[in-house]
């Protein structure tokens, strides 16, 4: 089903995702439309507008656009426009979703008060994600104003120095639902995290973890997925 949403241009890809019901929110549509996915797939520019993961080197992939859409839509209620939300993107890889999230919390002009930290444990990927983001004027502004920070670190520990966060996205499958990440959520806040199942079949599920305004945590298992693991650095 996913490949049906592919396009020949970024605009076509996003329109097809919207028409297929894989993007439902106008804000997510606008935010993804204004980030050219080809800037974040330097090694496979011809495949940039396919609705599929693509290799980005270092044995990592940029996730499929419909997964980025689904993550952004899940976290959206915790990233209201003009509220200056603080967001953590773990396993930021190419930097694509970090940029989309920054558009959501900083507004279309990139001048809002939002802040997004992208964390990856591979220095080469963090360097590449900065280069990718610098390919557009909006991306350069987000970096130069400090609204987006891309740092090297072990995402299983989160990034407490930048927290707490209204929304946390995890882009690699965790062996467990790390408590350190739950602790870094604001009250209220939401985390979107793929977690390995203990069934022995290698299944992974998205878990949506909500912390309410009183600090009460609830966890809901959402869809089955396939992500690269959240591991030790190579
Ligand atoms: N959201 C990214 C996904 C990249 S793939 C994108 O769409 O481009 C998953 C990423 O998780 C890889 O870049 C990998 O280097 C990173 N990763 C894996 N384990 C990690 C860890 N313990 N800490 C931080 N990043 C990690």
């Amino acid at each position: 089903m996913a490949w049906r949403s592919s396009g020949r241009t970024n605009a076509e890809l996003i329109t097809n995702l919207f028409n297929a019901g894989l993007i439902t929110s106008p804000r997510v549509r606008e935010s993804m439309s204004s980030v050219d996915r080809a800037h974040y797939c330097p090694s496979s520019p011809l495949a940039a507008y396919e609705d599929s993961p693509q290799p980005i080197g270092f044995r990592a992939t940029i996730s499929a656009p419909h997964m980025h859409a689904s993550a952004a839509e899940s976290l959206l209620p915790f990233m209201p426009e003009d509220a200056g939300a603080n967001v953590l993107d773990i396993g930021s890889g190419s930097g694509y979703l970090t940029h989309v999230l920054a558009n959501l919390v900083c507004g279309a002009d990139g001048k809002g008060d939002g802040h997004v930290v992208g964390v990856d444990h591979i220095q080469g990927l963090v360097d590449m994600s900065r280069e990718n983001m610098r390919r557009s004027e909006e991306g350069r502004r987000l970096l130069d104003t400090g609204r987006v920070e891309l740092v090297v670190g072990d995402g299983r520990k989160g990034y407490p120095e930048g927290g707490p966060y209204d929304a946390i996205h995890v882009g690699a499958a965790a062996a467990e639902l790390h408590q350190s990440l739950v602790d870094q959520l604001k009250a209220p806040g939401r985390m979107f995290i793929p977690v390995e199942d203990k069934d022995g079949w290698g299944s992974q599920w998205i878990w949506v973890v909500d912390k309410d305004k009183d600090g009460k945590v609830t966890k809901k298992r959402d869809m089955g997925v396939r992500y690269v693991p959240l591991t030790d650095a190579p």
Side-chain angles (χ1 to χ4, degrees), residues 51-78:
D51 187 19
S52 61
Q54 296 298 328
I56 52 171
F58 304 90
R59 292 190 178 176
T61 54
I62 176 171
S63 303
H66 69 272
M67 277 313 304
H68 285 143
S70 158
E73 297 219 328
S74 171
L75 296 171
L76 198 63
F78 293 80

Side-chain angles (χ1 to χ4, degrees), residues 207-226:
W207 285 81
V208 178
V209 181
D210 280 353
K211 196 183 268 185
D212 74 11
K213 63 176 183 8
D214 303 316
K216 183 167 166 280
V217 174
T218 51
K219 302 165 188 175
K220 187 170 145 266
R221 196 177 87 164
D222 198 1
M223 59 194 149
V225 288
R226 186 163 289 271

Side-chain angles (χ1 to χ4, degrees), residues 34-117:
S34 58
V35 181
D36 188 344
R37 191 165 183 262
H39 290 173
Y40 293 88
C41 294
S43 53
S44 45
L46 294 176
Y49 308 127
E50 284 179 14
D51 187 19
S52 61
Q54 296 298 328
I56 52 171
F58 304 90
R59 292 190 178 176
T61 54
I62 176 171
S63 303
H66 69 272
M67 277 313 304
H68 285 143
S70 158
E73 297 219 328
S74 171
L75 296 171
L76 198 63
F78 293 80
M79 303 186 294
E81 222 158 2
D82 302 328
N86 192 28
V87 179
L88 179 62
D89 181 23
I90 294 173
S92 45
S94 66
Y96 173 85
L97 186 66
T98 320
H99 191 163
V100 169
L101 294 169
N103 282 351
L104 287 168
V105 300
C106 296
D109 58 2
K111 291 181 181 157
D113 279 338
H115 180 239
V116 185
V117 188

Side-chain angles (χ1 to χ4, degrees), residues 37 40 54 56-64 68 89-98 119-123 125-126 129 132 151-158 169-173 178 227-234:
R37 191 165 183 262
Y40 293 88
Q54 296 298 328
I56 52 171
F58 304 90
R59 292 190 178 176
T61 54
I62 176 171
S63 303
H68 285 143
D89 181 23
I90 294 173
S92 45
S94 66
Y96 173 85
L97 186 66
T98 320
V119 180
D120 204 284
H121 65 166
I122 299 181
Q123 178 76 56
L125 280 173
V126 173
S129 64
N132 293 344
V151 301
V152 179
D154 182 351
R156 292 170 292 193
K157 302 192 176 102
H169 169 261
V170 184
H178 298 286
Y227 279 72
V228 302
L230 192 68
T231 53
D232 292 330

